[in-house]
Amino acid sequence: MPIHEVSLIRPENLKTHEKLVMDGVDVSGHWSTFIESRVVTDYNEKLEEEIAALPGGEHIHRCWQCGSCTNSCTVNAVNPDFNPRYWIYLIRIGMDSELLRDKDIIWQCVSCNKCTYACPRDVFPEGVMKATAHWLELQGHTPKSKSTQFDEEFSAQVLATGKIEEGRIIRGFFARTGQPLMQEWLVEMGKRLARKLPVLMGLRMGLAAVWRPRTRRWGKTSEAIAAYVGEQDAKHRKALGLAGHDQERTHG
Ligand code: SF4
Ligand code: SF4
């Protein structure tokens, strides 16, 4: 499969004359196409450093642009604009304005890690995609993704009880993302589960949904985890030069 390149030529910079005759030769239409020159002055020299400071982005400096990540990428196979190699290139040369043109698709990485296994330089492109999506959120270029909101709900419940109860996680996630609880797929899944589930297990799950089980003596562990998460958030914000890096964590 060929590597799909993204053109650095913006469509608005392509100029074509509908009607142009030069030295008696008709060069109308695409024959007269030229590219308006563009001077890039907005390099962000800290971009690579900022991505490297976020979890997953640590090894971005190792990339030698072979393209194996893009070539093996699950999402690229259905959307050629999804191009990890190209985004790593942009990050390394500090072209954040170009990167922002693709800000609405970078989060689409499905974490299949095919790129991770294909990369000859142990860059962990999947991690770089996650770090880049995280960077976009922290810098306010994109709203919190559903994946981030799920992580926050999950973490909040672990911190509160030291346990995970799937039904409660789904309800909390739907509430955070403004989704209705009664969704067709969920109802169908519930019905199928009810048909197959042993009665005792079903009872246990029902009880857990109402009565919230907790890990015994969880308080100190929860405090330690919360403090660590807070430290990490502050560290990431500081690396990005964001205000509030001295404040407590933002997880719900
Ligand atoms: S982990 Fe993400 S970037 Fe890597 S191959 Fe899968 S979809 Fe593509
Ligand atoms: S496979 Fe690894 S070294 Fe090759 S372009 Fe992708 S990240 Fe860079």
Side-chain angles (χ1 to χ4, degrees):
M1 192 179 94
I3 297 168
H4 297 279
E5 288 296 336
V6 175
S7 171
L8 281 172
I9 303 167
R10 296 184 181 186
E12 63 269 25
N13 289 349
L14 286 172
K15 302 293 174 197
T16 305
H17 290 273
E18 295 263 315
K19 195 78 199 146
L20 184 67
V21 178
M22 290 178 77
D23 296 333
V25 181
D26 186 351
V27 287
S28 306
H30 70 271
W31 291 108
S32 67
T33 300
F34 70 95
I35 303 161
E36 197 170 333
S37 61
R38 184 162 63 94
V39 179
V40 178
T41 55
D42 56 352
Y43 284 102
N44 174 359
E45 289 174 14
K46 290 196 156 182
L47 186 55
E48 181 180 1
E49 222 173 89
E50 290 179 1
I51 298 289
L54 298 176
E58 297 88 348
H59 303 303
I60 189 172
H61 64 281
R62 293 182 184 164
C63 176
W64 61 17
Q65 288 290 297
C66 69
S68 300
C69 49
T70 298
N71 211 19
S72 61
C73 177
T74 304
V75 180
N76 176 269
V78 288
N79 178 8
D81 288 338
F82 188 95
N83 192 333
R85 181 210 61 79
Y86 176 64
W87 293 327
I88 290 171
Y89 164 74
L90 293 179
I91 292 165
R92 296 207 63 203
I93 62 171
M95 285 186 76
D96 57 4
S97 55
E98 289 293 325
L99 186 72
L100 290 179
R101 294 171 71 193
D102 292 332
K103 67 186 169 67
D104 295 325
I105 56 171
I106 291 172
W107 63 270
Q108 290 175 354
C109 169
V110 294
S111 292
C112 63
N113 272 303
K114 284 188 187 171
C115 55
T116 303
Y117 292 105
C119 178
R121 296 279 295 160
D122 282 344
V123 172
F124 299 116
E126 186 269 349
V128 177
M129 291 303 98
K130 285 284 175 299
T132 308
H134 193 187
W135 181 87
L136 288 165
E137 286 177 14
L138 285 171
Q139 295 284 14
H141 296 305
T142 54
K144 269 184 198 171
S145 67
K146 288 200 168 60
S147 152
T148 299
Q149 295 185 64
F150 184 88
D151 287 350
E152 289 184 354
E153 181 61 32
F154 191 95
S155 309
Q157 294 205 17
V158 171
L159 286 172
T161 62
K163 283 187 187 293
I164 290 303
E165 198 280 301
E166 291 86 350
R168 197 176 293 273
I169 295 271
I170 289 175
R171 289 202 302 279
F173 172 65
F174 283 173
R176 277 176 194 258
T177 51
Q179 298 184 63
L181 187 56
M182 296 306 276
Q183 300 202 25
E184 212 175 301
W185 67 269
L186 192 59
V187 174
E188 184 57 31
M189 194 175 83
K191 278 187 200 159
R192 289 187 192 192
L193 262 176
R195 279 201 293 270
K196 305 265 181 198
L197 212 62
V199 179
L200 202 60
M201 194 181 284
L203 262 175
R204 235 185 254 152
M205 282 174 72
L207 272 177
V210 183
W211 172 72
R212 204 173 184 185
R214 287 169 194 276
T215 299
R216 285 165 62 198
R217 292 196 283 277
W218 179 243
K220 285 224 163 81
T221 311
S222 171
E223 275 170 31
I225 296 173
Y228 177 77
V229 174
E231 272 169 29
Q232 292 301 307
D233 274 350
K235 194 173 98 183
H236 301 152
R237 289 181 167 277
K238 189 174 179 184
L240 270 56
L242 296 171
H245 60 72
D246 50 351
Q247 290 169 10
E248 276 304 289
R249 68 188 194 86
T250 54
H251 286 279

